[in-house]
Amino acid sequence: MLHDEGPTRVVGAEHHTATGCRQLNSLMLRDALLIDIELATPRQAVEDEVSMRRPERRERGLIRRVEGQCGNGGADSGIMRRRLGRKADAMDNRMSHSANRRILLASAAAAGLSLALPAWAGLLRTPSQALGPFYPRQLPLDNDNDLVSVVGRSGIARGEICNLHGRILDEAGQPVGAARVEIWQCDAFGRYHHPDDRGDRPLDPDFQGYGRFTTGVDGGYRFRTIKPVPYPGRAPHVHFAITVAGQAPLVTQMYVAGAAENAGDGLLQGVRDPQARAALLATFVRPADGGDLLARFDIVLGPATPGSR
């Protein structure tokens, strides 16, 4: 009986093992199909490393189960091991490609960030400056953007004629349209067209002294005026006032880059931040053809202030 039962037990064990192998083969075929689907399905550029490794772990586990229960020499297990081995290699390649792709994407993102930082950081806001005592009490009849000629007079203002231009921008670098730009300055003799300027310096009747301009959609402005000159106690400068609907007006002053008087000007030197102080300077250059001087002065406004007019 023991001899008869032995083969029976062995046959039963082999039957059980064969049945188990067929079930495992069925599961492995199903999982292999799932892996085929996963390999063929596009993933997002940056994938979760844990989720990427789940199919690989499932494959490795199935191979160990086959080896443990079906043996290493069975035909079915050998076929399935080879099949799953190829799938595992494909998964390794896939994961290696994905890892490389993540590195490339991270590098590209870093490069994009470095390029975008100036835009995100925003432009430096133009510092405000004192209005000064010589803003016109009453606007002159001739208050256009040409300050070197006055209606009703044939003469041209004394001094170095210059075309002063620039743009009104917000902190994101976008142009501000419909902004009213006003400027006023002393004449070539250092005297303002203002009743409170009672100095003994002569007054140039051909210099308008004040002008205004409304920006278009490009935020640009332009004035024809003279290069500012110093007067006692002040470096050469031009007063600016910019008015935009919904914002408090910005009052500031523009100075001549490189002017010797800049070092002793209390208002200019009162701007402690070197970058902010440099934002108030404009360079005057002579064109190659010898025409009028050119100077550019861009102005950056701050955000709109609730309740401002």
Side-chain angles (χ1 to χ4, degrees), residues 122-180:
L123 298 179
L124 181 65
R125 191 184 309 178
T126 301
S128 62
Q129 293 264 276
L131 179 69
F134 301 128
Y135 180 83
R137 289 183 181 176
Q138 184 176 356
L139 297 183
L141 295 178
D142 189 2
N143 53 32
D144 60 7
N145 64 332
D146 183 358
L147 282 68
V148 302
S149 62
V150 178
V151 172
R153 297 188 61 87
S154 59
I156 297 295
R158 303 285 188 90
E160 293 185 270
I161 308 299
C162 80
N163 290 300
L164 174 59
H165 68 105
R167 299 176 73 198
I168 309 301
L169 307 168
D170 62 20
E171 289 177 294
Q174 296 300 308
V176 178
R180 188 179 71 215

Side-chain angles (χ1 to χ4, degrees), residues 171-293:
E171 289 177 294
Q174 296 300 308
V176 178
R180 188 179 71 215
V181 183
E182 300 174 88
I183 68 168
W184 63 101
Q185 65 184 109
C186 66
D187 62 23
F189 302 113
R191 186 171 176 182
Y192 283 90
H193 283 241
H194 193 283
D196 288 341
D197 189 353
R198 302 186 180 91
D200 56 0
R201 301 176 300 278
L203 184 66
D204 184 357
D206 293 318
F207 183 61
Q208 191 169 289
Y210 169 93
R212 60 183 176 183
F213 187 92
T214 301
T215 63
V217 293
D218 64 347
Y221 73 85
R222 182 177 297 274
F223 291 96
R224 189 165 182 250
T225 184
I226 62 171
K227 181 180 179 181
V229 300
Y231 61 85
R234 290 303 315 277
H237 64 278
V238 176
H239 294 267
F240 275 78
I242 295 84
T243 306
V244 178
Q247 294 187 232
L250 171 67
V251 176
T252 190
Q253 297 181 30
M254 181 208 76
Y255 299 81
V256 178
E261 297 85 357
N262 288 347
D265 191 278
L267 281 177
L268 178 58
Q269 296 305 317
V271 180
R272 299 301 183 186
D273 181 4
Q275 288 186 320
R277 189 164 60 248
L280 297 175
L281 303 177
T283 300
F284 288 74
V285 296
R286 181 79 62 185
D289 61 6
D292 295 338
L293 289 171

Side-chain angles (χ1 to χ4, degrees), residues 38-50:
E38 289 177 359
L39 288 173
T41 302
R43 295 176 183 267
Q44 295 180 353
V46 180
E47 299 181 77
D48 190 321
E49 189 69 25
V50 175

